Amino acid sequence: MTHDKPTTGGFTKTAGWLDWYNGPTKPTLTLPAGAVDAHCHVFGPGDSFPYAEKRKYTPCDASKDQLFALRDHLGFARNVIVQATCHGADNSAMVDALHSSGGKARGVATVDRHITDAALQDLHDAGVRGVRFNFVKRLVDFTPKDELLEIANRIKPLGWHIVIYFEAVDLPELWDFFTALPTTVVVDHMGRPDVTQPVDGPEFALFERFMREHPNVWSKVTCPERLSVAGPKALNGASPTYLDVVPFAQRLIAQFPDRVLWGTDWPHPNLKDHMPDDGLLVEFIAQIAPDEATRQKLLVDNPMNLYWPEEKHGA
Ligand code: 0GY
């Protein structure tokens, strides 16, 4: 599969930011029928959906059609499209993708306290099922916690959940806020552990405690390419994988098999040293979830419970 070369819709892409990998391998791992890529983005195209004025980076374009082609190529059936910070609280590129997906995509939006009830309902009708609260300082300016709590209480009646993105070192400070959230809470990328620390050390133990003590907390076991320090390595002639990230994902899947999700994170914003082949990222799933029953939960049952409960339960 190859696409046209990424462009920036007339914007100047952030220097050093790599383009997404054009021409990913066809994975040898066959995904279960109905598999969901539960974390991916659309960027622009910038000439149709301009990037936010207050963005911290300018990506290359990554359109809905390119995302849907990747979905089919990798063997996924559906996408969850997460609003990225470069589009701020203007969800129109993501919503446009949802409208074009024929029901095969659901979304996670970014909203501020000024959004009207009617606009929230429009997002719901388009397929949005969550909001994202981002605490990664290089990506966003600070939003007051009372504003986030107000948003949380407004989206709760819609049956939505909250996706949180933060760095592991910030979990202690954010703990009380996170544990007060009134909905299901989904953590991006395992709470961004420092994978040079022991998997059974205090930093990851705190994250595991967070999930263990709070049954409303889920985690995406995503982004090995972002978390890895050693980079992709091949062992015994097998496909390269992110060996330093594998134990972290394995531990969460083993302890919380019904509260884990997986996604590609295509088009992998803000990567400067290494851009993954998305086909090899799919092979990574076999490392962290070696048996079919586990992959069925990770890739189908769990994301369907969260994003398409009406289909799962026939409501
Ligand atoms: C990711 C990770 C990143 C960026 C964003 O919204 C975003 O801009 O999520 C990152 O830079 O770590 O999940 O795509």
Side-chain angles (χ1 to χ4, degrees):
M1 187 193 91
T2 54
H3 293 304
D4 294 339
K5 224 178 157 346
T7 64
T8 58
F11 291 77
T12 304
K13 191 183 73 168
T14 297
W17 202 86
L18 295 171
D19 292 346
W20 42 268
Y21 188 83
N22 198 351
T25 318
K26 185 89 179 158
T28 59
L29 179 70
T30 305
L31 300 179
V36 181
D37 174 353
H39 186 94
C40 50
H41 309 286
V42 288
F43 294 153
D47 46 16
S48 311
F49 300 103
Y51 298 110
E53 223 168 89
K54 288 189 177 161
R55 67 191 179 279
K56 303 285 187 194
Y57 65 92
T58 303
C60 56
D61 290 339
S63 73
K64 60 185 177 185
D65 294 330
Q66 290 165 327
L67 175 65
F68 298 154
L70 181 74
R71 173 198 68 201
D72 296 345
H73 175 77
L74 297 178
F76 287 97
R78 300 172 194 238
N79 297 110
V80 178
I81 306 176
V82 177
Q83 175 75 357
T85 56
C86 55
H87 277 298
D90 176 358
N91 295 287
S92 35
M94 184 266 290
V95 165
D96 176 66
L98 299 186
H99 282 308
S100 302
S101 73
K104 290 183 178 174
R106 290 251 146 115
V108 174
T110 297
V111 304
D112 62 32
R113 69 178 359 149
H114 304 297
I115 191 165
T116 62
D117 288 343
L120 277 180
Q121 187 61 49
D122 285 347
L123 288 174
H124 187 84
D125 294 344
V128 170
R129 293 295 180 268
V131 287
R132 192 181 196 206
F133 294 169
N134 198 322
F135 300 88
V136 178
K137 295 172 184 106
R138 69 184 158 79
L139 290 173
V140 284
D141 294 329
F142 175 76
T143 305
K145 296 211 178 73
D146 65 327
E147 172 166 354
L148 296 176
L149 214 45
E150 188 181 312
I151 294 166
N153 286 316
R154 286 187 60 205
I155 59 97
K156 182 178 154 63
L158 291 163
W160 294 10
H161 62 272
I162 296 166
V163 173
I164 52 176
Y165 191 24
F166 60 93
E167 307 272 0
V169 290
D170 295 324
L171 180 56
E173 184 213 322
L174 292 164
W175 182 281
D176 289 346
F177 175 71
F178 289 162
T179 56
L181 290 172
T183 65
T184 294
V185 171
V186 180
V187 179
D188 276 339
H189 319 330
M190 302 188 277
R192 289 198 62 111
D194 172 357
V195 300
T196 64
Q197 303 286 317
V199 70
D200 54 359
E203 186 186 89
F204 204 55
L206 186 70
F207 184 68
E208 290 176 330
R209 179 154 82 84
F210 180 44
M211 289 197 71
R212 197 168 48 248
E213 290 181 0
H214 300 280
N216 64 322
V217 177
W218 294 41
S219 179
K220 297 178 195 169
V221 287
T222 36
C223 270
E225 77 286 5
R226 198 177 285 289
L227 300 174
S228 179
V229 173
K233 296 264 182 292
L235 268 195
N236 304 326
S239 300
T241 188
Y242 300 90
L243 292 171
D244 52 352
V245 184
V246 168
F248 291 82
Q250 279 177 338
R251 275 179 79 104
L252 294 188
I253 293 170
Q255 290 175 80
F256 312 107
D258 301 315
R259 292 190 268 145
V260 282
L261 301 168
W262 194 88
T264 55
D265 191 35
W266 186 87
H268 313 285
N270 293 313
L271 292 186
K272 297 203 162 95
D273 301 323
H274 156 71
M275 180 55 64
D277 169 344
D278 293 280
L280 292 183
L281 275 182
V282 169
E283 308 289 11
F284 175 79
I285 300 171
Q287 304 276 318
I288 61 173
D291 64 276
E292 274 181 32
T294 308
R295 292 200 290 273
Q296 174 70 26
K297 285 187 175 199
L298 178 66
L299 299 169
V300 184
D301 297 349
N302 298 347
M304 289 303 286
N305 278 336
L306 201 55
Y307 289 98
W308 282 272
E310 70 285 3
E311 286 190 35
K312 185 76 188 158
H313 304 300

